[in-house]
């Protein structure tokens, strides 16, 4: 009788609170190694699948996360893609939503789970949330659909009671165990007594080929946050940042901005220089509706791209990824208007 091969999961440990210990001298939390982490999760042996791990040479606080680290994570996934059924990335919470967004754009044709998790309390602490998060992330990464394919085929964040689409997630709390939330997209799964998957929300677009990794990430991007009183010099300074290629402008409400002529002129000039300016809202929930108010229409006529309901993390990393592929401003603008991997709600996808 033919036996099914055992499920294999790879843990990629990058650092973060989950594996931290207290520095005896400063009393501050510092990243520590994977052996310490795993020694604190004896229950892992009860899982009925094979688990291997890869560790960053020097685990980091995720405040130090950068495109080179994203490349390392993506490279490990690409090199071992055929050997594993799923991947669990252990990561600090501070920049987890950026990494989840970045990986979603880097990993084209992903058809296996990449589940990112971490914790608010170190794994060595009695009340840690790390053990539960790690075990649940492993179970989700191993989960199959009724046809034997992967249940989750995208980059997702698992934290406490919910699984969220990675490029829709935002860190919403520095101390709540439910640290992440997706303001404009439903949960992919709810974790209670059982893990209940939201089939309508899971990514199911058929893949058009083998996994293709876009390693290039061009960090020549910046955000411009509007506030009442912002002046022309500040706006021009940000839009004129040397070598900047993409600007994410965080506007009010449904995509509105001051109607002052200097603002639309400054934005028009940046657009004319080839800078891709993307309009997203400062509201945590809802979408840009560029023509709803006169205050938004004027801005939209400068040639800014409507970012619909993109998170700031997704807008920035999508620009980084598109420019990193060597695309022209015109091409980047075109792709910013489409949802590439479920990152935004728009009529064009
Ligand atoms: N500073 C930590 C980090 O992002 C916070 C955490 O993991 O919760 O690495």
């Amino acid at each position: 009788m033919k036996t099914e091969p055992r499920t294999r999961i790879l843990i990629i440990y990058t650092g973060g609170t989950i594996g931290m210990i207290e520095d005896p001298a400063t009393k501050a939390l510092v990243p520590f190694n994977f052996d310490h982490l795993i020694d604190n999760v004896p229950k892992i042996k009860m899982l009925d699948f094979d688990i291997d791990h890869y560790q960053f040479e020097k685990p980091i606080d995720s405040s130090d996360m950068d495109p080179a680290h994203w490349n390392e994570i993506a490279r490990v996934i690409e090199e071992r893609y055929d050997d594993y059924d799923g991947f669990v990335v252990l990561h600090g919470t501070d920049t987890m939503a950026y990494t989840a967004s970045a990986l979603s754009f880097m990993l084209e044709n992903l058809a296996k789970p990449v589940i990112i998790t971490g914790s608010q309390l170190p794994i060595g602490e009695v009340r840690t949330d790390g053990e539960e998060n790690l075990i649940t992330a492993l179970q989700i990464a191993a989960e199959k659909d009724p046809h034997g394919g992967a249940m989750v085929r995208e980059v997702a964040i698992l934290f406490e009671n919910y699984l969220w689409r990675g490029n829709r997630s935002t860190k919403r709390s520095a101390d709540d165990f439910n640290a992440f939330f997706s303001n404009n997209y439903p949960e992919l799964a709810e974790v209670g007594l059982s893990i209940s998957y939201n089939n309508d929300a899971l990514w199911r677009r058929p893949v058009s080929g083998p996994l293709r990794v876009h390693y290039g990430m061009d960090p020549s991007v910046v955000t411009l946050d509007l506030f009442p009183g912002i002046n022309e010099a500040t706006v021009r300074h940000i839009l004129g940042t040397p070598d900047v290629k993409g600007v994410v402008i965080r506007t009010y409400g449904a995509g509105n901005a001051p109607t002052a002529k200097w603002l639309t002129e400054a934005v028009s000039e940046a657009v004319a220089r080839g800078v891709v300016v993307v309009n997203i809202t400062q509201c945590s929930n809802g979408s840009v509706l560029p023509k709803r108010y006169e205050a938004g229409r004027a801005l939209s006529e400068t040639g800014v791209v409507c970012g619909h309901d993109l998170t700031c993390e997704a807008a920035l990393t999508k620009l980084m990824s598109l420019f990193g592929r060597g695309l022209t401003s015109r091409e980047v603008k075109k792709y910013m208007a489409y949802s590439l991997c479920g990152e935004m709600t728009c009529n064009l996808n």
Side-chain angles (χ1 to χ4, degrees):
M1 199 174 73
K2 200 169 156 242
T3 51
E4 284 293 312
R6 274 168 69 83
T7 301
R8 300 188 70 200
I9 307 294
L10 182 70
I11 299 177
I12 302 172
Y13 174 52
T14 70
T17 297
I18 192 164
M20 288 190 185
I21 55 165
E22 203 175 273
D23 181 316
T26 64
K27 302 281 177 229
L29 289 173
V30 288
F32 206 55
N33 66 32
F34 186 80
D35 293 339
H36 152 79
L37 190 153
I38 219 66
D39 284 351
N40 278 283
V41 196
K43 280 192 205 134
I44 214 165
K45 297 195 184 76
M46 293 163 70
L47 295 172
D48 188 24
F49 36 82
D50 296 333
I51 300 167
D52 294 326
H53 77 275
Y54 171 92
Q55 173 186 314
F56 271 14
E57 191 177 325
K58 193 174 168 300
I60 58 169
D61 185 300
S62 77
S63 310
D64 285 321
M65 190 57 65
D66 65 18
H69 294 118
W70 294 336
N71 265 260
E72 184 171 347
I73 300 169
R75 195 171 303 282
V76 173
I77 293 173
E78 183 179 37
E79 284 173 2
R80 311 194 189 185
Y81 193 69
D82 294 334
D83 301 334
Y84 292 93
D85 296 275
F87 301 84
V88 169
V89 180
L90 297 180
H91 194 290
T93 58
D94 290 345
T95 59
M96 190 180 283
Y98 290 89
T99 296
S101 301
L103 289 176
S104 77
F105 300 119
M106 295 168 80
L107 304 173
E108 190 181 339
N109 291 331
L110 182 69
K112 293 188 177 182
V114 174
I115 312 298
I116 311 184
T117 195
S119 66
Q120 295 279 42
L121 286 174
I123 201 98
E125 288 205 14
V126 185
R127 287 179 51 251
T128 186
D129 51 330
E131 180 176 20
E132 197 178 306
N133 283 347
L134 173 55
I135 300 271
T136 309
L138 287 164
Q139 288 181 323
I140 291 173
E143 186 76 27
K144 298 282 191 275
D145 71 9
H147 311 287
M151 178 61 102
V152 178
R153 306 172 197 168
E154 58 187 296
V155 180
I157 289 182
L158 176 278
F159 229 85
E160 191 72 1
N161 297 116
Y162 297 98
L163 182 74
W164 304 110
R165 172 162 298 161
N167 56 31
R168 293 286 195 150
S169 310
T170 297
K171 181 173 178 180
R172 65 148 192 194
S173 173
D175 54 24
D176 197 311
F177 281 159
N178 270 306
F180 287 84
F181 194 65
S182 172
N183 288 293
N184 288 312
Y185 198 73
E187 68 278 4
L188 302 181
E190 193 172 345
V191 181
L193 284 183
S194 60
I195 301 171
S196 126
Y197 291 92
N198 183 356
N199 289 317
D200 294 335
L202 288 163
W203 180 252
R204 284 294 181 261
R205 198 184 284 176
V207 293
S208 56
L211 179 73
R212 178 167 175 223
V213 183
H214 299 280
Y215 286 103
M217 290 298 278
D218 189 336
S220 315
V221 295
V222 76
T223 54
L224 167 56
D225 263 88
L226 296 182
F227 57 89
I230 192 167
N231 62 32
E232 181 172 357
T234 306
V235 169
R236 285 192 177 275
H237 185 75
I238 294 172
L239 293 173
T241 304
D243 300 324
V244 76
K245 293 180 180 164
V247 177
V248 174
I249 177 164
R250 297 184 68 237
T251 55
Y252 307 130
N256 304 314
T259 51
K261 205 155 168 258
W262 60 259
L263 180 73
T264 39
E265 273 174 10
V267 174
S268 299
E269 283 166 31
V271 171
R273 290 196 302 272
V275 177
V276 176
V277 183
V278 182
N279 183 3
I280 65 168
T281 173
Q282 291 175 5
C283 296
S284 42
N285 175 250
S287 183
V288 166
L289 300 167
K291 302 225 158 60
R292 185 166 162 87
Y293 295 93
E294 181 55 27
R297 196 190 56 78
L299 183 69
S300 74
E301 292 193 344
T302 60
V304 303
V305 184
C306 175
H308 299 270
D309 57 356
L310 278 177
T311 63
C312 190
E313 296 90 329
L316 284 169
T317 53
K318 186 172 177 181
L319 283 170
M320 289 167 83
S321 179
L322 293 175
F323 279 115
R325 297 176 201 188
L327 300 179
T328 63
S329 292
R330 181 192 280 263
E331 291 166 328
V332 171
K333 256 177 126 166
K334 184 176 114 194
Y335 288 115
M336 286 306 293
Y338 287 85
S339 173
L340 299 179
C341 44
E343 71 277 13
M344 75 183 180
T345 314
C346 63
N347 300 327
L348 293 167
N349 53 353

